[in-house]
């Protein structure tokens, strides 16, 4: 190919994906790609980007990346190439691999063939090993993820590594019950292949046996094992291929994925394929991976994570819930004519049932593959939280008016200082929120790793980005002197004009008293933590998120905390709480405290600034004037 590679950043407002592709197609930029590559992945990508195949934004991005990487592949400085022979091999195997629900091979749709080609076809120029060491594959339920993963596992074991010895492979699910079902499908796949004319002899020669926990070749001593995330028994293995099923489940929060991948670093041609539908709780590694890899795909001009592949079929937004004609975005099997009517009717029936029972969010989550805060009493919806996030340099806090809130640590909780910056943008009210946490490790064996696993927050990453300080003393306790000085230094560094400092009096008196002495110009206001006092600011913050008035940085602690908060109500009003003890909402408490006063900035910004002449009977009088006053009016 002779085309000079053009690169794009789709995060920029004036760079749109589909118009960009159309303009490139019109000028012949992809002509040589179209002429040379007739494989399913390339054909599917062109259909998606020309609008002939309805697909979500993430799939559109993945398709553009594939096509532009085909242009790049002719460049000597691009590390990868696309191997059509590898595509043919996996597709030919798939024609013979049985679908366990049918007990026979099932013709694959174009999108499924594209999955296999993308996963297997891209290779490193240097050694022809697989380009994508990490694959994230996500669709709504019942769209064939299991069949694809079974094909890849069987192909890897029987064909790709036929002449290898002592290779470890893995199928893993969150817990025993989930792994039993997936493993039953794998056993059946190997059993049916053993009865197939093309593989019967091979399986006999390799002395392959599939039992309840392992598929093993007595000849090569290679195996495919069944393990669970909650067992954590991955450290001794160096997996060639690992399929991680139900990766959206919170059981993967325990760091098991890291133990799988760390053991692969010296294994040639290794790969991890994470397969899942979206789950109700977004506080999990899969959701973080999706967010990170979306940014990777959008920055076509950046070579970060060129070895990761994300293929996510989902609805683009929650408003598409009422548009069945768009459900193919998350349910690509709807394009199969023989299945369309049955699948669509089943989806509509499920939608009706969930709507009538007040559980439509479960349909949106599992059947439309949307990440949601699916607890009925969740404080905020996930899409409202995500829409508030901006880049970490897009809002300058220097010299601005703001309101501070404070939540003091109790036991294993974090201590949090939060700031709310009210401002106007395009004639509209807006709030920028910022927090800094102080993280104890005393009840986590003084280990930030254990603390992170307990709370489900990457504290080390948050500290590296400047959003927290982890306890460094020998006791793992929060140093109140450090907290106190941090606030003073932060105010000084950014020249903040704090209009009010709001806090809960319980347990905070020593520190807040010291701050009040050091910052005499700032009004310190106490706020009781009952529903009567918190109802109004709690609802104000919630409404501000829902109406897109909130801006905040990509702060993992803040994002985790607002998504963790739930609403609790009584006769006096509402306030936030958490569903489980280890959930962290401390910084949200601090933000709500600050919001109780910040909301008045637009109408009465100086409502807490006392007139010094009224506060002090002597006003600006000098000491000599005060002495004269006493002599003249109280002399005898």
């Amino acid at each position: 190919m002779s085309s000079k590679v053009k690169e794009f950043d789709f995060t920029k407002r004036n760079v749109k994906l589909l118009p960009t592709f159309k303009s490139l197609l019109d000028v012949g930029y992809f002509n040589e790609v179209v002429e040379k590559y007739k494989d399913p992945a390339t054909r599917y990508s062109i259909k998606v980007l020309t609008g002939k195949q309805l697909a979500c934004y993430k799939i559109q991005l993945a398709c553009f990346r594939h096509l532009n990487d085909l242009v790049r592949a002719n460049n000597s400085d691009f590390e990868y190439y696309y191997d059509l022979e590898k595509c043919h091999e996996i597709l030919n195997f798939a024609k013979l691999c049985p679908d366990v629900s049918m007990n026979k091979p099932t013709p694959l749709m174009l999108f499924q063939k594209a999955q296999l080609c993308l996963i297997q076809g891209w290779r490193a120029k240097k050694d022809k090993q697989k380009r994508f060491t990490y694959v994230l594959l996500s669709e709504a339920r019942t769209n064939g993820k299991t069949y694809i993963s079974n094909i890849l596992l069987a192909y890897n074991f029987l064909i790709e590594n036929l002449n290898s010895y002592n290779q470890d492979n893995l199928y893993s699910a969150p817990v025993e019950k989930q792994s039993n079902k997936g493993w039953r499908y794998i056993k059946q796949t190997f059993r049916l292949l053993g009865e197939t004319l093309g593989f019967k002899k091979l399986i006999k020669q390799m002395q392959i046996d599939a039992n309840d926990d392992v598929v093993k070749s007595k000849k090569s001593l290679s195996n495919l094992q069944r393990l669970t995330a909650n067992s954590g028994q991955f450290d001794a293995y160096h997996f060639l291929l690992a399929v991680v099923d139900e990766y959206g489940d919170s059981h993967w929060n325990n760091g098991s994925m890291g133990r799988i991948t760390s053991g692969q670093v010296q294994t040639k041609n290794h790969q991890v394929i994470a397969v899942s539908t979206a789950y109700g709780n977004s506080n999990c590694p899969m959701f973080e991976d999706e967010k990170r890899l979306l940014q990777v795909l959008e920055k076509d001009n950046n070579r970060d994570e060129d070895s990761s592949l994300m293929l996510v079929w989902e609805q683009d937004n929650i408003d598409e819930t009422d548009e069945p004609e768009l459900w193919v975005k998350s349910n690509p099997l709807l394009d199969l004519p023989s299945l369309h009517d049955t699948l669509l009717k089943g989806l509509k029936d499920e939608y009706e049932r969930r709507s009538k029972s007040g559980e439509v969010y479960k349909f949106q989550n599992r059947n439309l593959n949307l990440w949601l805060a699916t607890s009925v009493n969740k404080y905020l919806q996930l899409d409202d939280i995500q829409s508030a996030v901006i880049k970490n340099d897009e809002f300058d806090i220097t010299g601005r008016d703001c309101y501070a809130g404070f939540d003091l640590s109790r036991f294993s909780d974090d201590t949090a200082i939060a700031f709310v910056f009210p401002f106007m943008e395009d004639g509209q009210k807006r709030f920028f929120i910022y927090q800094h946490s102080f993280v104890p490790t005393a009840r986590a064996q003084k280990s930030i790793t254990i603390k992170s696993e307990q709370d489900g927050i990457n504290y080390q990453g948050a500290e590296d980005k400047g959003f927290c300080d982890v306890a460094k003393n020998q006791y793992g306790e929060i140093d109140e002197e450090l907290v106190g000085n941090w606030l003073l230094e932060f105010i000084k560094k950014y020249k903040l004009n704090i209009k009010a400092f709001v806090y809960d009096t319980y347990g905070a008196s020593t520190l807040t008293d010291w701050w009040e002495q050091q910052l005499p110009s700032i009004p310190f206001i106490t706020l009781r933590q009952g529903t009567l006092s918190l109802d109004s600011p709690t609802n104000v913050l919630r409404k501000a998120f829902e109406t897109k008035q909130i801006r905040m940085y990509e702060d993992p602690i803040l994002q985790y905390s607002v998504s963790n908060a739930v609403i609790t109500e009584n006769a006096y009003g509402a306030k936030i709480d958490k569903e489980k003890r280890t959930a962290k909402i401390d910084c949200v408490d601090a933000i709500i405290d600050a919001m109780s006063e910040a909301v008045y900035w637009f109408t009465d910004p100086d409502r807490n600034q006392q007139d010094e002449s009224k506060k002090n009977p002597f006003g600006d009088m000098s000491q000599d004037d005060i002495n004269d006053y006493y002599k003249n009016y109280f002399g005898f």
Side-chain angles (χ1 to χ4, degrees):
M1 294 179 204
S2 58
S3 297
K4 183 178 179 181
V5 180
K6 297 182 180 180
E7 298 181 328
F8 307 91
D9 183 353
F10 294 113
T11 63
K12 295 182 177 179
R13 292 183 180 181
N14 60 339
V15 184
K16 303 298 182 183
L17 177 58
L18 295 184
T20 296
F21 176 77
K22 185 179 185 305
S23 66
L24 293 172
L25 199 63
D26 289 345
V27 298
Y29 178 73
F30 290 113
N31 281 356
E32 294 181 60
V33 167
V34 174
E35 290 172 8
K36 180 176 180 179
Y37 297 95
K38 308 294 183 182
D39 65 284
T42 304
R43 288 190 285 118
Y44 182 75
S45 297
I46 293 170
K47 284 188 68 176
V48 166
L49 294 171
T50 55
K52 296 177 181 178
Q53 171 64 59
L54 189 60
C56 66
Y57 179 57
K58 287 177 182 173
I59 292 300
Q60 291 172 0
L61 284 168
C63 289
F64 185 88
R65 180 202 207 184
H66 171 65
L67 294 179
N68 212 25
D69 280 357
L70 290 177
V71 179
R72 285 191 182 94
N74 193 46
N75 289 6
S76 59
D77 59 344
F78 189 61
E79 298 179 29
Y80 308 101
Y81 75 103
Y82 192 54
D83 193 328
L84 291 175
E85 286 301 316
K86 293 296 182 183
C87 294
H88 289 310
E89 286 179 12
I90 187 64
L91 293 176
N92 287 336
F93 179 81
K95 291 177 182 177
L96 302 174
C97 193
D99 180 350
V100 294
S101 63
M102 304 286 289
N103 266 0
K104 62 180 181 180
T106 300
L108 297 178
M109 292 185 65
L110 183 60
F111 84 93
Q112 294 172 311
K113 294 177 181 178
Q115 291 172 0
L116 293 174
C117 288
L118 289 170
I119 292 170
Q120 285 289 123
W122 278 103
R123 299 278 162 160
K125 290 178 179 178
K126 181 179 179 180
D127 51 19
K128 297 187 178 182
Q129 294 184 31
K130 294 172 187 172
R131 168 185 176 177
F132 296 119
T133 57
Y134 175 59
V135 178
L136 177 57
L137 175 61
S138 180
E139 304 157 356
R141 297 183 67 184
T142 70
N143 275 272
K145 298 185 299 296
T146 299
Y147 189 21
I148 294 299
S149 60
N150 281 0
I151 290 171
L152 290 164
L153 282 168
Y155 174 76
N156 173 77
F157 198 87
L158 294 173
I159 305 298
E160 190 170 27
N161 297 286
L162 181 62
N163 298 317
S164 299
Y165 291 82
N166 294 295
Q167 297 290 344
D168 291 323
N169 300 279
L170 172 70
Y171 167 79
S172 186
V175 295
E176 187 77 11
K177 186 176 181 180
Q178 289 168 308
S179 72
N180 282 338
K181 183 178 180 180
W183 190 254
R184 188 168 69 246
Y185 291 162
I186 291 171
K187 281 202 307 179
Q188 188 177 359
T189 297
F190 278 90
R191 181 180 65 79
L192 292 171
L193 285 171
E195 298 171 358
T196 302
L197 185 61
F199 294 99
K200 187 174 183 179
K201 183 178 179 181
L202 174 63
I203 288 177
K204 186 176 181 180
Q205 287 177 341
M206 297 300 295
Q207 302 177 55
I208 293 173
D209 179 52
N211 61 38
D212 288 342
D213 292 302
V214 66
V215 176
K216 187 167 185 176
S217 167
K218 293 181 181 178
K219 182 178 179 180
S220 69
L221 299 182
S222 293
N223 62 74
L224 166 60
Q225 299 198 55
R226 175 174 72 98
L227 296 172
T228 61
N230 67 337
S231 72
Q233 298 174 356
F234 303 113
D235 291 325
Y237 297 101
H238 310 287
F239 298 113
L240 181 63
L241 175 63
V243 170
V244 174
D245 204 0
E246 301 296 340
Y247 188 41
D249 191 285
S250 59
H251 283 87
W252 290 105
N253 288 359
N254 66 0
S256 288
M257 177 62 93
R259 288 191 280 274
I260 293 171
T261 57
S262 65
Q264 292 182 305
V265 293
Q266 293 186 7
T267 303
K268 292 184 177 180
N269 214 29
H270 68 270
Q271 193 172 59
V272 172
I273 302 174
V275 182
S276 187
T277 298
Y279 269 64
N281 185 356
S282 63
N283 295 312
C284 65
M286 178 180 167
F287 181 68
E288 292 303 315
D289 286 354
E290 280 197 29
K291 288 196 303 178
R292 186 186 73 256
L293 292 177
L294 173 59
Q295 295 176 344
V296 169
L297 287 177
E298 287 184 316
K299 290 185 177 295
D300 174 73
N301 58 348
N302 193 317
R303 301 275 55 83
D304 288 347
E305 292 206 55
D306 258 344
S307 60
S308 294
L309 173 66
M310 181 173 73
L311 298 170
V312 175
W313 279 262
E314 64 179 3
Q315 298 308 127
D316 282 310
N317 59 68
I318 201 169
D319 295 336
E320 294 177 352
T321 303
D322 299 318
E323 301 180 71
E325 66 275 13
L326 300 181
W327 291 351
V328 70
K329 290 183 179 182
S330 56
N331 292 269
L333 279 182
L334 279 170
D335 275 336
L336 183 62
S338 62
L339 187 60
H340 176 272
D341 291 347
T342 301
L343 179 54
L344 184 60
K345 183 180 184 302
L347 288 169
K348 286 181 176 179
D349 290 346
E350 178 70 4
Y351 176 43
E352 290 297 324
R353 280 194 296 271
R354 294 298 189 183
S355 296
K356 290 177 181 178
S357 64
E359 296 179 325
V360 70
Y361 58 86
K362 292 184 178 179
F363 171 80
Q364 294 163 335
N365 180 217
R366 304 299 280 166
N367 297 104
L368 299 184
N369 204 23
L370 286 169
W371 290 95
L372 301 167
T374 56
S375 174
V376 175
N377 60 338
K378 276 288 185 182
Y379 178 50
L380 295 169
Q381 292 299 321
L382 187 60
D383 57 340
D384 292 330
I385 298 170
Q386 289 303 303
S387 65
V389 177
I390 61 175
K391 295 178 183 177
N392 290 352
D393 58 357
E394 282 190 16
F395 188 88
D396 185 6
I397 65 174
T398 305
R400 289 184 179 266
D401 288 355
C402 66
Y403 296 78
F406 179 59
D407 188 80
L408 184 68
S409 169
R410 297 176 181 83
F411 302 106
S412 61
D413 287 341
D414 302 340
T415 285
I417 301 174
F419 302 88
V420 176
F421 296 81
F423 66 102
M424 298 295 295
E425 182 180 72
D426 299 328
Q428 302 295 318
K429 297 177 182 178
R430 298 284 187 264
F431 300 93
F432 175 76
I433 57 178
Y434 182 90
Q435 72 82 37
H436 192 90
S437 291
F438 300 85
V439 183
T441 58
R443 289 166 179 80
Q445 302 177 39
K446 303 180 185 62
S447 166
I448 191 57
T449 302
I450 295 174
K451 174 71 171 173
S452 295
E453 290 183 4
Q454 288 176 348
D455 295 355
I457 299 174
N458 181 4
Y459 284 117
Q460 188 60 63
E463 186 174 45
D464 292 343
K465 294 177 181 178
F467 295 117
C468 74
D469 281 292
V470 177
K472 298 295 194 300
N473 58 47
Q474 60 179 319
Y475 309 107
E477 298 286 0
I478 294 171
D479 184 343
E480 289 198 2
E481 183 177 350
L482 172 68
V483 178
N485 288 327
W486 182 92
L487 177 62
L488 299 185
E489 292 168 5
F490 191 77
I491 294 171
K492 181 179 180 180
K493 178 180 179 180
Y494 292 103
K495 302 178 178 62
L496 300 182
N497 181 24
I498 299 181
K499 310 293 284 186
F501 186 103
V502 188
Y503 66 101
D504 172 18
T505 55
Y506 179 72
S509 59
T510 303
L511 190 51
T512 51
D513 285 350
W514 183 77
W515 275 331
E516 198 164 5
Q517 293 173 3
Q518 302 300 312
L519 303 165
S521 63
I522 297 176
F524 278 70
I525 300 169
T526 60
L527 183 69
R528 293 186 67 252
Q529 299 297 293
T531 53
L532 187 63
S533 303
L534 294 176
D535 180 74
S536 178
T538 299
N539 285 309
V540 165
L541 182 61
R542 185 181 199 174
K543 184 178 179 180
F545 267 101
E546 292 172 348
T547 56
K548 316 305 180 190
Q549 292 179 299
I550 298 293
R551 303 285 184 271
M552 63 186 192
Y553 289 152
E554 292 182 288
D555 174 355
I557 296 177
L558 180 52
Q559 290 184 70
Y560 175 90
S561 299
V562 290
S563 63
N564 250 349
V566 299
I567 283 286
T568 180
E569 298 180 271
N570 60 26
Y572 300 103
K575 68 175 185 176
I576 65 164
D577 204 343
K578 51 190 179 183
E579 289 186 302
K580 57 181 182 178
R581 181 183 58 81
T582 56
K584 289 291 170 280
I585 61 169
D586 312 283
C587 67
V588 189
D589 285 327
I591 289 167
I592 288 174
D593 287 345
M595 185 62 84
S596 68
E597 290 296 328
V599 70
Y600 295 107
W601 182 84
F602 302 99
T603 55
D604 188 9
D606 297 319
R607 76 189 218 110
N608 294 301
Q609 305 298 321
Q610 296 186 28
D611 186 337
E612 291 298 320
S613 64
K614 294 180 180 178
K615 180 179 178 181
N616 181 352
F618 301 110
D620 294 327
M621 294 170 61
S622 67
Q623 189 60 51
D624 288 340
D625 290 337
I626 295 172
N627 292 338
D628 288 342
Y629 175 85
Y630 276 103
K631 290 178 182 177
N632 293 332
Y633 290 92
F634 297 97
F636 294 97

